[in-house]
Amino acid sequence: MEPQPTAAAAIETVFRMESPRVIAAAARVVRDVGVAEELAQDALVAALEQWPRDGVPDRPGAWLTAVARRRAVDLVRRRATHARKLAEIGRDLESAPPPGEPADLADPDAIDDDLLRLVFTACHPVLSADARIALTLRLLGGLTTEEIARAFLTPEATVAQRIVRAKRTLAERAVPFEVPAGPDREARLGSVLDVIYLIFNEGYAATAGDDLVRPALCEDALRLARVLAGLMPKEPEVHALTALLELQASRVAARTGPDGAPVLLADQDRGRWNRMLIARGVAALHQADATATGAPGRYALQAAVAACHAHAVRYEDTDWATIATLYGLLAARAPSPVVELNRAVAVSMARGPAEALRIVDGLIQDPALRGYHLLPSVRGDLLDRLGRPAEARAEFERAAELARNGRERELLLARAARCA
């Protein structure tokens, strides 16, 4: 029987919400995220066959997990007699819960542990950054290949290949389905946080295309950060990243005008900033402070900068001196030319454009910023404030040439035109 549209829509919604946990539970058994994803799809097919006929179960997530887990166990048992590696997995089954018992599968601690393993597996350093992002959005965000391709303006075939290769690499390199311990954990956690931050940034300031902001990507990244904070409540940088994303997400609606044109921070209507997200961000930042045992990490420092902006009722009230200090600490903690460029902006507001221009001029020869449009954009702004309009115009025009986002390009050309 073909499912009714309403049932199909309900199944799609449930699967989107529950697929990460379903995949994680199956991966715990088969130790292969590619196979686990296929088993999750099998569970989805079973739901499409049974739910329209029998009704949606009371606990749809547990139902999907039970089906995927049962099929995972069946698969392992079939393979267990043929290879030593699979025999080892078979031994793990002796201590695993019996298949197909929802009460066991619904154990929230066990499922959350599996989900955490899936997060660390999808963000393993053996994968490229692009592969980690694609796989994370696929496995944990529940996005389809088409949706990922559309979000990152990448051909669907490229994203599909990226995901296939990522899963193959994890299998070939025998990446363990586990949360690492000790120093490995800190290194791997950094990779996890970076991937989530990259996803958010692509939504917050799209590198290409006709839209400056892609709110759906911001929401996906924020949701992943919240999930991770729930899974790892004692990790200060996890709370710090969550705080940073909450605070930045609070400004998304004000970043563009009705026509989609970018609105600079100084011109934003702060009444459009989401106060609930700001409150959540401040709370997460406090949680980061409460769990920290040493100096603040780079996400904690960035979140503190975002909090400074959030606390300013008007742009003129911004505590630029504190922000400049925070960027100085960030430059010492995690030096990079982009951090230094951001520090220059804060310095320009706290101590004037002349001092900031010296910092920016020191970055001109940095190869990492050679094609970075924000370098000439910032330099143009400083030159304009110093009363050097012709040079400022040239910098804005150069920034526009480098910008790949259409909205940013329009803004930069408009700023160039105003430099008479």
Side-chain angles (χ1 to χ4, degrees):
M1 176 184 295
E2 290 294 327
Q4 297 300 313
T6 52
I11 293 169
E12 180 180 351
T13 300
V14 169
F15 188 74
R16 181 125 176 180
M17 293 172 59
E18 299 291 343
S19 63
R21 293 170 185 269
V22 177
I23 294 170
R28 183 186 182 193
V29 178
V30 298
R31 309 282 172 168
D32 184 315
V33 294
V35 174
E37 190 184 12
E38 293 173 4
L39 293 168
Q41 291 293 330
D42 287 348
L44 172 63
V45 172
L48 288 168
E49 292 173 348
Q50 296 184 38
W51 292 6
R53 181 190 63 217
D54 303 334
V56 177
D58 293 338
R59 298 159 65 202
W63 191 98
L64 288 166
T65 301
V67 172
R69 182 74 174 274
R70 187 183 306 123
R71 296 188 180 193
V73 171
D74 289 343
L75 177 64
V76 170
R77 281 177 171 161
R78 286 198 302 273
R79 292 176 172 177
T81 57
H82 302 295
R84 177 186 58 79
K85 181 177 179 182
L86 294 181
E88 292 174 356
I89 297 175
R91 283 196 294 276
D92 289 343
L93 291 174
E94 294 176 1
S95 58
E101 295 184 7
D104 292 333
L105 296 172
D107 180 345
D109 291 336
I111 291 176
D112 285 353
D113 285 348
D114 289 344
L115 193 57
L116 193 57
R117 293 186 186 97
L118 184 61
V119 172
F120 275 86
T121 303
C123 297
H124 196 282
V126 298
L127 305 177
S128 68
D130 288 342
R132 283 180 231 166
I133 290 171
L135 195 60
T136 299
L137 287 175
R138 175 64 170 267
L139 299 182
L140 295 159
L143 273 64
T144 65
T145 302
E146 180 184 0
E147 289 170 327
I148 299 170
R150 188 167 60 244
F152 285 90
L153 305 178
T154 304
E156 189 173 343
T158 301
V159 172
Q161 291 172 1
R162 201 170 281 165
I163 292 172
V164 169
R165 282 198 298 266
K167 289 187 286 191
R168 186 189 305 143
T169 299
L170 292 175
E172 290 175 350
R173 300 287 289 272
V175 171
F177 186 67
E178 65 179 13
V179 178
D184 288 345
R185 179 167 177 160
E186 183 177 355
R188 292 272 297 280
L189 178 60
S191 173
V192 171
L193 299 181
D194 288 348
V195 166
I196 294 174
Y197 190 44
L198 284 172
I199 293 170
F200 183 89
N201 269 348
E202 187 57 32
Y204 192 73
T207 53
D210 296 326
D211 297 319
L212 177 69
V213 178
R214 298 195 178 98
L217 269 183
C218 292
E219 292 168 6
D220 285 334
L222 185 53
R223 184 177 60 81
L224 291 173
R226 289 170 177 164
V227 168
L228 196 60
L231 296 171
M232 306 183 75
K234 296 181 180 178
E235 292 289 348
E237 275 294 84
V238 174
H239 292 295
L241 176 68
T242 306
L244 174 60
L245 301 196
E246 299 273 14
L247 290 165
Q248 288 190 308
S250 73
R251 304 201 299 260
V252 165
R255 281 175 52 75
T256 55
D259 59 351
V263 179
L264 296 176
L265 181 62
D267 302 324
Q268 288 179 12
D269 176 3
R270 300 192 174 212
R272 299 185 66 198
W273 287 9
N274 188 315
R275 309 313 298 184
M276 182 189 73
L277 292 179
I278 290 174
R280 290 180 63 97
V282 170
L285 189 54
H286 288 161
Q287 192 65 23
D289 291 340
T291 52
T293 56
R298 58 193 177 101
Y299 287 119
L301 291 167
Q302 291 181 77
V305 170
C308 282
H309 289 299
H311 288 142
V313 177
R314 302 175 306 158
Y315 182 75
E316 296 77 10
D317 300 330
T318 307
D319 185 354
W320 289 108
T322 296
I323 292 175
T325 299
L326 289 168
Y327 271 119
L329 294 172
L330 183 60
R333 174 72 173 79
S336 84
V338 173
V339 169
E340 195 65 1
L341 185 62
N342 289 334
R343 188 175 75 85
V345 173
V347 167
S348 79
M349 300 303 297
R351 301 197 286 270
E355 183 174 339
L357 185 61
R358 286 193 288 274
I359 299 173
V360 172
D361 284 348
L363 297 170
I364 290 176
Q365 299 303 320
D366 193 313
L369 299 181
R370 189 162 297 155
Y372 192 46
H373 69 287
L374 291 182
L375 177 61
S377 173
V378 169
R379 194 164 190 273
D381 181 70
L382 298 175
L383 290 167
D384 190 33
R385 290 164 57 191
L386 287 168
R388 296 158 62 178
E391 295 171 84
R393 181 184 184 116
E395 289 292 342
F396 283 132
E397 289 175 343
R398 180 166 173 266
E401 291 176 1
L402 295 173
R404 295 167 54 199
N405 184 281
R407 293 293 186 177
E408 280 192 291
R409 191 180 307 117
E410 292 171 4
L411 175 65
L412 291 164
L413 289 175
R415 297 195 71 184
R418 286 198 293 269
C419 294

